[in-house]
């Protein structure tokens, strides 16, 4: 290490008696010292320079990949970002009230049953000042055991790009990982509670509304809050037929959810889409199985440009697709 420090000192392009942070070229002596430092083989500590160059190369690969995928901080939104779901041409919109009625009929046999835990495929667009958007596609499986313990498995995967590398910011550093890469695997000790979301959700619409109001930590439950609470519920529970029917009834009575027709969701399932325009530049789409009222997914897209983050109208901000 001493000889390397000597070389650095000898190669000093900004001596103490020179102008601070000079921009002029190095003299011949400095260039020779730098060439020795950078290119001559070192008899000792070769591992560390190799590791340093490896990290630099990895950083270049990630930066290049982000530029290719995302278009840079001043470019267009991520090429890897999904396109908004589109309504099938000439499909007939099904009113939410009809879906609620069909769901109530389907729930009479009590199957499928309510199950604690979830299986959800999600994607979101993370943005911050001075940085390009970052795609975060992942699949999460939460399973509860009879003793109150549960496991959580989070995997990086993108159903729209099967088998292809996935961009993630797990660990706070954007990077590419292989499709199916395990981001985290955790086991939690037994836990119980009598408040949402640990408490069992009811299948009575009025009681479910009170449950969702408490879950959302609000005194009211307007349509955006209902959608937020429903998403959080589905991130913790896989609803049975009765709970899906109750939720469908609440959604049918909510204002502003407009039926738009049939869509194919991210997982290839056919459902009916219902759109809520917030008026603040965000459009939310709810996808239901029209025969059972089961929530298949939700998607949020921008309805106007956001120049601050370089995101255009129509960009998908987030989606979730829930499975049994």
């Amino acid at each position: 290490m001493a000889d390397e420090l000597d070389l650095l000192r000898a190669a000093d392009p900004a001596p103490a008696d020179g102008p601070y942070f000079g921009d002029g070229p190095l003299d011949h002596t400095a260039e020779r010292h730098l060439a020795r430092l950078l290119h001559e083989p070192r008899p000792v500590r070769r591992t560390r320079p190799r590791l340093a160059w490896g990290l630099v190369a990895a950083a270049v690969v990630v930066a290049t990949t982000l530029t290719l995928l995302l278009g840079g901080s001043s470019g267009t939104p991520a090429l890897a970002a999904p396109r908004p779901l589109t309504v099938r041409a000439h499909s007939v919109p099904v009113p939410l009230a009809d879906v609620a009625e069909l769901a109530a009929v389907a729930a009479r046999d009590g199957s499928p049953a309510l199950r604690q835990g979830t299986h959800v495929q999600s994607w979101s667009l993370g943005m911050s000042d001075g940085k390009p958007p970052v795609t975060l596609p992942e699949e999460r499986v939460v399973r509860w055991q009879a003793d109150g313990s549960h496991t959580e498995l989070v995997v990086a995967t993108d159903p729209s790009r099967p088998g292809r590398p996935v961009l993630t910011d797990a660990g706070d550093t954007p990077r590419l990982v292989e499709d199916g890469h395990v981001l985290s695997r955790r086991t939690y000790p037994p836990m119980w509670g009598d408040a949402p979301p640990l408490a069992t959700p009811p299948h009575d619409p009025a009681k479910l509304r009170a449950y969702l109001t408490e879950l959302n930590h609000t005194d009211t439950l307007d349509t955006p809050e209902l959608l937020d609470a429903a998403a959080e519920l589905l991130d913790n529970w896989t609803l049975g037929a009765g709970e899906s029917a109750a939720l469908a009834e609440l959604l049918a009575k909510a204002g502003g959810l407009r039926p738009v027709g049939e869509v194919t969701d991210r997982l290839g399932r056919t459902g009916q889409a219902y759109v809520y325009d917030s008026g603040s530049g965000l459009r939310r789409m709810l996808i239901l199985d029209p025969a059972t009222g089961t929530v298949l997914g939700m998607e949020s897209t921008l309805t106007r440009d956001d120049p601050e983050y370089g995101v255009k109208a129509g960009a998908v901000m987030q989606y979730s697709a829930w499975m049994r």
Side-chain angles (χ1 to χ4, degrees):
M1 180 62 72
D3 56 343
E4 294 180 4
L5 289 175
D6 290 337
L7 284 171
L8 283 172
R9 293 188 182 103
D12 182 9
D17 58 351
Y20 291 121
F21 307 110
D23 294 328
L26 302 180
D27 60 26
H28 295 301
T29 303
E31 287 182 354
R32 185 172 66 255
H33 285 307
L34 280 177
R36 286 182 57 198
L37 179 63
L38 295 175
H39 304 296
E40 287 186 10
R42 311 301 304 163
V44 196
R45 299 180 183 270
R46 294 187 61 180
T47 303
R48 184 165 296 179
R50 286 181 178 175
L51 176 60
W53 280 112
L55 291 175
V56 171
V60 171
V61 170
V62 170
T64 303
T65 303
L66 287 172
T67 301
L68 292 174
L69 289 177
L70 306 173
S73 58
S74 60
T76 57
L79 295 177
R83 295 181 179 179
L85 294 176
T86 56
V87 177
R88 190 168 300 170
H90 311 299
S91 62
V92 179
V94 178
L96 264 170
D98 293 354
V99 174
E101 290 181 7
L102 291 171
V105 172
R108 288 174 182 171
D109 65 358
S111 177
L114 175 71
R115 184 177 67 213
Q116 193 170 19
T118 190
H119 184 183
V120 58
Q121 167 73 45
S122 63
W123 184 95
S124 61
L125 187 65
M127 297 184 297
S128 60
D129 293 336
K131 296 181 181 179
V134 177
T135 56
L136 310 170
E138 64 182 39
E139 189 167 338
R140 186 167 61 97
V141 181
V142 178
R143 291 289 180 258
W144 285 74
Q145 311 303 322
D147 64 355
S149 64
H150 68 281
T151 59
E152 179 188 62
L153 174 67
V154 182
V155 176
T157 185
D158 188 345
S160 66
R161 300 157 57 86
R164 300 182 66 178
V166 178
L167 184 63
T168 179
D169 72 346
D172 298 326
T173 302
R175 61 194 175 98
L176 283 176
V177 295
E178 292 298 319
D179 182 45
H181 175 78
V182 175
L183 297 174
S184 66
R185 190 194 305 267
R186 298 185 179 93
T187 299
Y188 295 88
M191 59 181 68
W192 296 270
D194 55 5
L198 288 178
T200 302
H203 54 262
D204 175 80
K207 293 179 180 178
L208 181 60
R209 183 178 182 84
Y211 180 101
L212 294 175
T213 302
E214 184 178 357
L215 178 62
N216 210 44
H217 305 291
T218 58
D219 296 327
T220 61
L221 201 67
D222 59 17
T223 302
E225 292 168 342
L226 174 59
L227 292 174
D228 289 339
E232 186 171 353
L233 172 65
L234 293 165
D235 280 341
N236 287 275
W237 292 85
T238 301
L239 301 188
E243 293 77 25
S244 290
L247 181 57
E249 182 173 331
L250 293 180
L251 292 165
K253 293 179 179 179
L257 278 168
R258 176 169 49 91
V260 293
E262 192 174 80
V263 298
T264 300
D265 79 350
R266 308 289 175 188
L267 303 178
R269 303 171 298 182
T270 300
Q272 281 285 323
Y274 303 87
V275 167
Y276 180 84
D277 289 303
S278 66
S280 60
L282 191 68
R283 173 174 296 166
R284 304 178 69 168
M285 178 182 284
L286 169 72
I287 304 121
L288 300 179
D289 181 332
T292 64
T294 301
V295 177
L296 301 180
M298 294 187 192
E299 176 179 281
S300 299
T301 59
L302 287 181
T303 58
R304 55 178 181 244
D305 296 350
D306 188 338
E308 182 180 358
Y309 293 107
V311 184
K312 300 292 186 180
V316 177
M317 301 303 294
Q318 187 272 342
Y319 79 76
S320 294
W322 291 277
M323 299 161 268
R324 284 202 72 83

